[in-house]
Short mmCIF file of all heavy atoms in Angstrom, two decimals:
data_model
loop_
_atom_site.label_atom_id
_atom_site.label_comp_id
_atom_site.label_asym_id
_atom_site.label_seq_id
_atom_site.Cartn_x
_atom_site.Cartn_y
_atom_site.Cartn_z
N MET A 1 145.16 181.63 208.12
CA MET A 1 146.56 181.40 207.89
C MET A 1 147.14 182.61 207.14
O MET A 1 146.40 183.17 206.20
CB MET A 1 146.62 180.17 207.02
CG MET A 1 148.05 179.96 206.46
SD MET A 1 148.22 178.58 205.28
CE MET A 1 147.93 177.16 206.20
N SER A 2 148.32 182.97 207.46
CA SER A 2 148.98 184.19 206.76
C SER A 2 150.03 183.69 205.81
O SER A 2 150.65 182.68 205.93
CB SER A 2 149.45 185.16 207.86
OG SER A 2 150.56 184.52 208.55
N CYS A 3 150.20 184.51 204.81
CA CYS A 3 151.13 184.37 203.70
C CYS A 3 152.60 184.27 204.41
O CYS A 3 152.89 185.19 205.12
CB CYS A 3 151.07 185.38 202.68
SG CYS A 3 152.35 185.29 201.42
N PRO A 4 153.45 183.25 204.13
CA PRO A 4 154.75 183.19 204.74
C PRO A 4 155.67 184.26 204.24
O PRO A 4 156.75 184.50 204.75
CB PRO A 4 155.25 181.79 204.36
CG PRO A 4 154.40 181.36 203.20
CD PRO A 4 153.07 182.03 203.33
N ILE A 5 155.34 184.95 203.12
CA ILE A 5 156.14 185.90 202.51
C ILE A 5 155.90 187.31 203.06
O ILE A 5 156.71 188.09 203.47
CB ILE A 5 156.12 185.90 201.00
CG1 ILE A 5 156.45 184.60 200.33
CG2 ILE A 5 156.91 187.08 200.37
CD1 ILE A 5 157.93 184.16 200.64
N CYS A 6 154.57 187.77 203.01
CA CYS A 6 154.16 189.08 203.39
C CYS A 6 153.25 189.17 204.58
O CYS A 6 152.89 190.24 204.96
CB CYS A 6 153.59 189.77 202.21
SG CYS A 6 151.96 189.19 201.79
N ASP A 7 152.77 188.02 205.14
CA ASP A 7 151.94 187.95 206.26
C ASP A 7 150.43 188.45 206.12
O ASP A 7 149.75 188.61 206.99
CB ASP A 7 152.49 188.83 207.49
CG ASP A 7 153.74 188.11 208.08
OD1 ASP A 7 153.80 186.96 208.08
OD2 ASP A 7 154.66 188.97 208.51
N ARG A 8 150.08 188.66 204.80
CA ARG A 8 148.66 188.95 204.55
C ARG A 8 147.88 187.68 204.59
O ARG A 8 148.44 186.57 204.62
CB ARG A 8 148.57 189.55 203.03
CG ARG A 8 149.09 190.93 202.97
CD ARG A 8 148.74 191.49 201.61
NE ARG A 8 149.61 192.60 201.30
CZ ARG A 8 150.12 192.83 200.14
NH1 ARG A 8 149.95 192.08 199.16
NH2 ARG A 8 150.92 193.99 199.95
N GLU A 9 146.58 187.75 204.64
CA GLU A 9 145.72 186.60 204.56
C GLU A 9 145.93 185.76 203.24
O GLU A 9 146.03 186.40 202.23
CB GLU A 9 144.31 186.95 204.74
CG GLU A 9 143.77 187.18 206.19
CD GLU A 9 143.94 185.94 206.99
OE1 GLU A 9 143.35 184.89 206.59
OE2 GLU A 9 144.56 186.07 208.06
N THR A 10 145.89 184.45 203.39
CA THR A 10 146.04 183.66 202.18
C THR A 10 144.83 183.71 201.29
O THR A 10 143.68 184.06 201.73
CB THR A 10 146.40 182.25 202.53
OG1 THR A 10 145.40 181.70 203.33
CG2 THR A 10 147.71 182.19 203.25
N VAL A 11 145.04 183.36 200.01
CA VAL A 11 143.92 183.21 199.02
C VAL A 11 143.88 181.79 198.60
O VAL A 11 144.95 181.23 198.28
CB VAL A 11 144.12 184.11 197.89
CG1 VAL A 11 143.08 183.94 196.82
CG2 VAL A 11 144.09 185.64 198.34
N ALA A 12 142.75 181.13 198.68
CA ALA A 12 142.68 179.71 198.39
C ALA A 12 143.46 179.38 196.93
O ALA A 12 144.04 178.33 196.95
CB ALA A 12 141.17 179.30 198.20
N LYS A 13 143.26 180.17 195.96
CA LYS A 13 143.92 179.92 194.70
C LYS A 13 145.43 179.83 194.79
O LYS A 13 146.07 179.05 194.01
CB LYS A 13 143.51 181.01 193.77
CG LYS A 13 144.16 180.84 192.37
CD LYS A 13 143.68 181.90 191.34
CE LYS A 13 144.20 181.78 190.02
NZ LYS A 13 143.75 182.79 189.11
N TYR A 14 146.07 180.53 195.71
CA TYR A 14 147.50 180.55 195.82
C TYR A 14 148.04 179.96 197.10
O TYR A 14 149.19 180.14 197.42
CB TYR A 14 147.99 182.09 195.73
CG TYR A 14 147.61 182.75 194.45
CD1 TYR A 14 146.58 183.71 194.39
CD2 TYR A 14 148.10 182.35 193.19
CE1 TYR A 14 146.15 184.35 193.34
CE2 TYR A 14 147.74 182.96 192.15
CZ TYR A 14 146.73 183.90 192.14
OH TYR A 14 146.41 184.54 190.92
N ARG A 15 147.16 179.39 197.89
CA ARG A 15 147.51 178.91 199.19
C ARG A 15 148.80 178.12 199.15
O ARG A 15 148.94 177.25 198.22
CB ARG A 15 146.41 178.02 199.79
CG ARG A 15 146.72 177.66 201.21
CD ARG A 15 145.44 177.34 202.01
NE ARG A 15 144.73 178.52 202.26
CZ ARG A 15 143.37 178.63 202.48
NH1 ARG A 15 142.66 177.54 202.36
NH2 ARG A 15 142.80 179.76 202.71
N PRO A 16 149.73 178.30 200.07
CA PRO A 16 149.76 179.04 201.21
C PRO A 16 150.08 180.47 201.12
O PRO A 16 150.37 181.18 202.09
CB PRO A 16 150.75 178.32 202.07
CG PRO A 16 151.87 178.00 201.08
CD PRO A 16 151.04 177.53 199.90
N PHE A 17 150.01 181.04 199.89
CA PHE A 17 150.38 182.49 199.67
C PHE A 17 149.11 183.20 199.45
O PHE A 17 148.05 182.82 199.32
CB PHE A 17 151.32 182.57 198.38
CG PHE A 17 152.51 181.65 198.55
CD1 PHE A 17 152.64 180.42 197.82
CD2 PHE A 17 153.63 181.97 199.38
CE1 PHE A 17 153.67 179.66 197.98
CE2 PHE A 17 154.65 181.09 199.50
CZ PHE A 17 154.69 179.91 198.84
N CYS A 18 149.38 184.61 199.41
CA CYS A 18 148.21 185.48 199.14
C CYS A 18 148.06 185.86 197.67
O CYS A 18 147.02 186.38 197.31
CB CYS A 18 148.52 186.80 199.99
SG CYS A 18 149.81 187.80 199.50
N SER A 19 149.13 185.56 196.90
CA SER A 19 149.08 186.06 195.48
C SER A 19 150.11 185.26 194.65
O SER A 19 151.01 184.66 195.31
CB SER A 19 149.40 187.54 195.41
OG SER A 19 150.76 187.80 195.87
N ALA A 20 150.01 185.44 193.38
CA ALA A 20 151.01 184.82 192.50
C ALA A 20 152.40 185.43 192.79
O ALA A 20 153.41 184.74 192.65
CB ALA A 20 150.61 184.99 190.99
N ARG A 21 152.38 186.79 193.05
CA ARG A 21 153.69 187.42 193.30
C ARG A 21 154.43 186.72 194.40
O ARG A 21 155.60 186.42 194.45
CB ARG A 21 153.44 188.91 193.59
CG ARG A 21 154.73 189.61 193.86
CD ARG A 21 154.54 191.01 194.66
NE ARG A 21 155.71 191.47 195.08
CZ ARG A 21 156.26 191.11 196.23
NH1 ARG A 21 155.72 190.23 197.08
NH2 ARG A 21 157.47 191.60 196.69
N CYS A 22 153.80 186.54 195.58
CA CYS A 22 154.31 185.93 196.74
C CYS A 22 154.82 184.48 196.43
O CYS A 22 155.83 184.15 196.84
CB CYS A 22 153.46 186.05 197.94
SG CYS A 22 153.49 187.65 198.70
N ALA A 23 153.96 183.70 195.63
CA ALA A 23 154.40 182.44 195.22
C ALA A 23 155.61 182.48 194.45
O ALA A 23 156.54 181.67 194.62
CB ALA A 23 153.24 181.75 194.50
N ASP A 24 155.72 183.45 193.59
CA ASP A 24 156.95 183.58 192.76
C ASP A 24 158.19 183.94 193.51
O ASP A 24 159.29 183.50 193.28
CB ASP A 24 156.71 184.57 191.58
CG ASP A 24 155.69 184.10 190.46
OD1 ASP A 24 155.50 182.92 190.48
OD2 ASP A 24 155.26 184.87 189.73
N VAL A 25 157.96 184.82 194.56
CA VAL A 25 159.08 185.24 195.45
C VAL A 25 159.59 183.96 196.13
O VAL A 25 160.81 183.74 196.22
CB VAL A 25 158.63 186.25 196.44
CG1 VAL A 25 159.60 186.51 197.56
CG2 VAL A 25 158.37 187.65 195.73
N ASP A 26 158.67 183.15 196.65
CA ASP A 26 159.02 181.92 197.28
C ASP A 26 159.84 180.95 196.33
O ASP A 26 160.88 180.40 196.69
CB ASP A 26 157.85 181.20 197.85
CG ASP A 26 158.18 180.02 198.73
OD1 ASP A 26 158.75 180.21 199.78
OD2 ASP A 26 157.94 178.87 198.21
N LEU A 27 159.32 180.84 195.18
CA LEU A 27 159.97 180.00 194.18
C LEU A 27 161.41 180.44 193.90
O LEU A 27 162.38 179.69 193.82
CB LEU A 27 159.23 179.87 192.91
CG LEU A 27 159.82 179.10 191.71
CD1 LEU A 27 160.02 177.59 192.09
CD2 LEU A 27 158.90 179.24 190.54
N GLY A 28 161.53 181.84 193.82
CA GLY A 28 162.86 182.39 193.50
C GLY A 28 163.85 182.11 194.68
O GLY A 28 165.03 181.82 194.43
N LYS A 29 163.36 182.04 195.88
CA LYS A 29 164.18 181.75 197.06
C LYS A 29 164.70 180.29 197.00
O LYS A 29 165.78 179.95 197.31
CB LYS A 29 163.44 182.08 198.39
CG LYS A 29 163.32 183.53 198.62
CD LYS A 29 162.66 183.77 200.00
CE LYS A 29 162.58 185.19 200.36
NZ LYS A 29 162.00 185.41 201.68
N TRP A 30 163.74 179.45 196.60
CA TRP A 30 164.18 178.03 196.41
C TRP A 30 165.25 177.82 195.28
O TRP A 30 166.26 177.17 195.51
CB TRP A 30 162.92 177.14 196.03
CG TRP A 30 162.26 176.79 197.18
CD1 TRP A 30 160.91 177.26 197.52
CD2 TRP A 30 162.52 175.83 198.27
NE1 TRP A 30 160.49 176.57 198.73
CE2 TRP A 30 161.48 175.79 199.22
CE3 TRP A 30 163.55 174.99 198.47
CZ2 TRP A 30 161.46 174.91 200.29
CZ3 TRP A 30 163.60 174.20 199.55
CH2 TRP A 30 162.51 174.12 200.53
N VAL A 31 165.03 178.50 194.17
CA VAL A 31 165.92 178.38 193.03
C VAL A 31 167.26 178.86 193.35
O VAL A 31 168.29 178.30 192.89
CB VAL A 31 165.24 179.10 191.79
CG1 VAL A 31 166.23 179.19 190.67
CG2 VAL A 31 164.03 178.38 191.39
N THR A 32 167.39 180.03 194.02
CA THR A 32 168.73 180.66 194.36
C THR A 32 169.36 180.00 195.56
O THR A 32 170.50 180.37 195.93
CB THR A 32 168.47 182.11 194.64
OG1 THR A 32 167.73 182.38 195.77
CG2 THR A 32 167.96 182.87 193.39
N GLY A 33 168.70 179.03 196.28
CA GLY A 33 169.30 178.37 197.35
C GLY A 33 169.17 179.19 198.69
O GLY A 33 169.81 178.87 199.67
N ALA A 34 168.26 180.13 198.64
CA ALA A 34 168.14 180.96 199.96
C ALA A 34 167.57 180.07 201.09
O ALA A 34 167.78 180.43 202.27
CB ALA A 34 167.20 182.11 199.73
N TYR A 35 166.88 178.94 200.75
CA TYR A 35 166.36 178.12 201.80
C TYR A 35 167.28 177.01 202.14
O TYR A 35 166.86 175.97 202.92
CB TYR A 35 164.93 177.53 201.39
CG TYR A 35 163.80 178.60 201.38
CD1 TYR A 35 162.91 178.48 200.31
CD2 TYR A 35 163.74 179.52 202.28
CE1 TYR A 35 161.88 179.41 200.28
CE2 TYR A 35 162.65 180.41 202.25
CZ TYR A 35 161.77 180.37 201.21
OH TYR A 35 160.73 181.24 201.21
N ALA A 36 168.46 176.94 201.65
CA ALA A 36 169.40 175.88 201.95
C ALA A 36 169.79 175.79 203.41
O ALA A 36 169.84 176.85 204.00
CB ALA A 36 170.63 176.00 201.12
N ILE A 37 169.93 174.61 203.91
CA ILE A 37 170.25 174.40 205.38
C ILE A 37 171.88 174.18 205.31
O ILE A 37 172.34 173.16 204.74
CB ILE A 37 169.54 173.24 205.97
CG1 ILE A 37 168.01 173.52 205.83
CG2 ILE A 37 170.15 172.99 207.36
CD1 ILE A 37 167.29 172.36 206.31
N PRO A 38 172.60 175.03 206.05
CA PRO A 38 174.08 174.84 206.09
C PRO A 38 174.42 173.52 206.81
O PRO A 38 173.70 173.11 207.69
CB PRO A 38 174.53 176.08 206.90
CG PRO A 38 173.39 176.93 207.16
CD PRO A 38 172.16 176.22 206.85
N SER A 39 175.50 173.00 206.34
CA SER A 39 175.94 171.77 206.91
C SER A 39 177.53 171.84 207.17
O SER A 39 178.22 172.44 206.44
CB SER A 39 175.72 170.52 205.94
OG SER A 39 176.35 169.36 206.49
N SER A 40 177.88 171.28 208.29
CA SER A 40 179.31 171.19 208.64
C SER A 40 179.88 169.82 208.41
O SER A 40 181.09 169.61 208.71
CB SER A 40 179.54 171.67 210.04
OG SER A 40 178.87 170.81 210.87
N ASP A 41 179.16 169.05 207.81
CA ASP A 41 179.56 167.59 207.55
C ASP A 41 180.55 167.64 206.28
O ASP A 41 180.13 168.04 205.23
CB ASP A 41 178.38 166.67 207.17
CG ASP A 41 178.69 165.23 207.04
OD1 ASP A 41 179.90 164.92 206.92
OD2 ASP A 41 177.77 164.44 206.94
N PRO A 42 181.75 167.12 206.50
CA PRO A 42 182.77 167.21 205.41
C PRO A 42 182.29 166.45 204.19
O PRO A 42 182.55 166.81 203.03
CB PRO A 42 184.03 166.63 205.88
CG PRO A 42 183.85 166.62 207.42
CD PRO A 42 182.38 166.71 207.68
N ALA A 43 181.50 165.36 204.34
CA ALA A 43 181.06 164.63 203.30
C ALA A 43 180.07 165.38 202.40
O ALA A 43 180.04 165.29 201.13
CB ALA A 43 180.28 163.25 203.70
N ASP A 44 179.28 166.30 202.98
CA ASP A 44 178.41 167.12 202.19
C ASP A 44 179.15 168.10 201.39
O ASP A 44 178.81 168.38 200.17
CB ASP A 44 177.49 167.89 203.17
CG ASP A 44 176.42 167.02 203.81
OD1 ASP A 44 176.08 165.90 203.33
OD2 ASP A 44 175.90 167.47 204.86
N ALA A 45 180.21 168.63 201.94
CA ALA A 45 181.04 169.62 201.17
C ALA A 45 181.72 168.95 199.93
O ALA A 45 181.81 169.41 198.84
CB ALA A 45 182.04 170.26 202.09
N GLU A 46 182.20 167.67 200.17
CA GLU A 46 182.86 166.93 199.11
C GLU A 46 181.79 166.62 198.08
O GLU A 46 182.14 166.75 196.79
CB GLU A 46 183.42 165.69 199.69
CG GLU A 46 184.29 164.91 198.62
CD GLU A 46 184.98 163.73 199.24
OE1 GLU A 46 185.46 163.83 200.43
OE2 GLU A 46 185.06 162.71 198.51
N GLU A 47 180.69 166.18 198.40
CA GLU A 47 179.56 165.89 197.43
C GLU A 47 179.14 167.12 196.71
O GLU A 47 179.02 167.07 195.41
CB GLU A 47 178.38 165.28 198.25
CG GLU A 47 177.27 164.83 197.31
CD GLU A 47 176.07 164.27 198.10
OE1 GLU A 47 176.24 163.57 199.07
OE2 GLU A 47 174.88 164.53 197.63
N ALA A 48 179.08 168.27 197.29
CA ALA A 48 178.78 169.45 196.57
C ALA A 48 179.84 169.80 195.63
O ALA A 48 179.56 170.26 194.41
CB ALA A 48 178.49 170.64 197.61
N ALA A 49 181.16 169.68 196.02
CA ALA A 49 182.24 170.02 195.11
C ALA A 49 182.25 169.11 193.90
O ALA A 49 182.41 169.57 192.83
CB ALA A 49 183.56 169.97 195.85
N ASP A 50 181.98 167.77 194.13
CA ASP A 50 181.91 166.89 192.95
C ASP A 50 180.78 167.25 192.09
O ASP A 50 180.89 167.13 190.81
CB ASP A 50 181.65 165.44 193.60
CG ASP A 50 182.87 164.87 194.24
OD1 ASP A 50 183.98 165.46 194.14
OD2 ASP A 50 182.78 163.92 194.99
N GLU A 51 179.61 167.66 192.58
CA GLU A 51 178.47 168.02 191.71
C GLU A 51 178.82 169.25 190.93
O GLU A 51 178.44 169.36 189.76
CB GLU A 51 177.20 168.25 192.62
CG GLU A 51 175.91 168.63 191.83
CD GLU A 51 175.50 167.57 190.88
OE1 GLU A 51 175.80 166.38 191.09
OE2 GLU A 51 174.70 167.86 190.01
N ILE A 52 179.44 170.24 191.54
CA ILE A 52 179.87 171.46 190.75
C ILE A 52 180.83 171.08 189.67
O ILE A 52 180.68 171.55 188.49
CB ILE A 52 180.51 172.54 191.77
CG1 ILE A 52 179.36 173.10 192.66
CG2 ILE A 52 181.23 173.49 190.97
CD1 ILE A 52 179.96 173.82 193.78
N GLU A 53 181.77 170.23 190.02
CA GLU A 53 182.73 169.77 188.97
C GLU A 53 182.09 169.05 187.81
O GLU A 53 182.30 169.28 186.66
CB GLU A 53 183.78 168.88 189.66
CG GLU A 53 184.91 168.58 188.71
CD GLU A 53 186.01 167.75 189.46
OE1 GLU A 53 186.38 168.16 190.48
OE2 GLU A 53 186.41 166.69 188.87
N ARG A 54 181.11 168.21 188.13
CA ARG A 54 180.30 167.42 187.15
C ARG A 54 179.54 168.40 186.27
O ARG A 54 179.56 168.23 185.03
CB ARG A 54 179.44 166.40 187.82
CG ARG A 54 178.67 165.49 186.84
CD ARG A 54 177.66 164.59 187.51
NE ARG A 54 176.53 165.44 188.06
CZ ARG A 54 175.50 165.73 187.23
NH1 ARG A 54 175.48 165.61 185.98
NH2 ARG A 54 174.48 166.49 187.75
N ARG A 55 178.81 169.27 186.87
CA ARG A 55 177.99 170.23 186.12
C ARG A 55 178.89 171.09 185.21
O ARG A 55 178.55 171.45 184.05
CB ARG A 55 177.20 171.13 186.95
CG ARG A 55 176.12 170.35 187.55
CD ARG A 55 175.16 171.27 188.40
NE ARG A 55 174.16 170.56 189.07
CZ ARG A 55 173.09 171.11 189.70
NH1 ARG A 55 172.98 172.32 189.71
NH2 ARG A 55 172.25 170.29 190.17
N SER A 56 180.13 171.49 185.70
CA SER A 56 180.97 172.37 184.96
C SER A 56 181.45 171.56 183.71
O SER A 56 181.63 172.09 182.65
CB SER A 56 182.16 172.82 185.85
OG SER A 56 183.10 173.50 185.04
N ALA A 57 181.84 170.28 183.95
CA ALA A 57 182.21 169.46 182.81
C ALA A 57 181.13 169.30 181.71
O ALA A 57 181.47 169.28 180.52
CB ALA A 57 182.68 168.15 183.32
N LEU A 58 179.96 169.25 182.08
CA LEU A 58 178.87 169.14 181.21
C LEU A 58 178.54 170.49 180.36
O LEU A 58 178.26 170.42 179.23
CB LEU A 58 177.50 168.75 181.87
CG LEU A 58 177.39 167.41 182.49
CD1 LEU A 58 176.17 167.19 183.27
CD2 LEU A 58 177.56 166.32 181.44
N GLU A 59 178.82 171.60 181.01
CA GLU A 59 178.56 172.81 180.47
C GLU A 59 179.73 173.28 179.51
O GLU A 59 179.50 173.95 178.52
CB GLU A 59 178.38 173.98 181.50
CG GLU A 59 177.10 173.81 182.25
CD GLU A 59 176.95 174.72 183.43
OE1 GLU A 59 177.85 175.57 183.64
OE2 GLU A 59 175.96 174.60 184.13
N ASP A 60 180.94 172.92 179.92
CA ASP A 60 182.14 173.30 179.14
C ASP A 60 182.73 171.99 178.61
O ASP A 60 183.74 171.54 179.34
CB ASP A 60 183.06 174.08 180.01
CG ASP A 60 182.54 175.35 180.61
OD1 ASP A 60 181.69 175.96 179.83
OD2 ASP A 60 182.79 175.76 181.72
N PRO A 61 182.46 171.56 177.43
CA PRO A 61 183.13 170.36 177.02
C PRO A 61 184.62 170.62 176.66
O PRO A 61 184.87 171.70 176.37
CB PRO A 61 182.33 170.05 175.68
CG PRO A 61 181.48 171.16 175.41
CD PRO A 61 181.44 172.02 176.61
N PRO A 62 185.41 169.57 176.74
CA PRO A 62 186.87 169.77 176.50
C PRO A 62 187.14 170.32 175.12
O PRO A 62 186.41 170.00 174.15
CB PRO A 62 187.49 168.36 176.71
CG PRO A 62 186.38 167.47 177.09
CD PRO A 62 185.09 168.27 177.06
N LYS A 63 188.10 171.16 174.91
CA LYS A 63 188.44 171.83 173.67
C LYS A 63 189.51 171.02 173.09
O LYS A 63 190.61 170.84 173.82
CB LYS A 63 188.71 173.33 173.82
CG LYS A 63 187.57 174.06 174.22
CD LYS A 63 187.88 175.59 174.47
CE LYS A 63 186.51 176.30 174.79
NZ LYS A 63 186.32 176.59 176.09
N HIS A 64 189.54 170.64 171.83
CA HIS A 64 190.61 169.94 171.22
C HIS A 64 191.24 170.80 170.14
O HIS A 64 190.73 171.53 169.45
CB HIS A 64 190.11 168.64 170.56
CG HIS A 64 189.67 167.65 171.60
ND1 HIS A 64 188.65 167.97 172.46
CD2 HIS A 64 190.12 166.47 171.90
CE1 HIS A 64 188.46 166.82 173.22
NE2 HIS A 64 189.33 165.95 172.92
#
């Protein structure tokens, strides 16, 4: 089996990767959304907008 990041042979300790570096590269792609699957469903866009608004409200409490 080859590493999905660099195509080298995998190492049992890091499987399915060849090294901690490639495992970290993969994790970074997940965290940044590089593996996201695009959707054209309007409900998905509305749900994403609602989530962004909710998170923004949590990060920036109202100023009085």
Side-chain angles (χ1 to χ4, degrees):
M1 173 190 289
S2 63
C3 176
I5 301 300
C6 71
D7 291 326
R8 292 186 195 138
E9 277 297 308
T10 60
V11 173
K13 181 178 179 180
Y14 303 108
R15 189 159 285 154
F17 307 104
C18 67
S19 65
R21 180 198 165 279
C22 282
D24 289 344
V25 168
D26 184 71
L27 177 61
K29 287 183 177 185
W30 279 107
V31 170
T32 62
Y35 288 144
I37 300 171
S39 173
S40 59
D41 184 348
D44 289 339
E46 186 175 325
E47 185 178 323
D50 290 345
E51 180 66 16
I52 291 169
E53 188 175 311
R54 183 186 71 79
R55 287 183 184 191
S56 178
L58 291 174
E59 292 173 3
D60 300 324
K63 296 177 173 101
H64 292 64

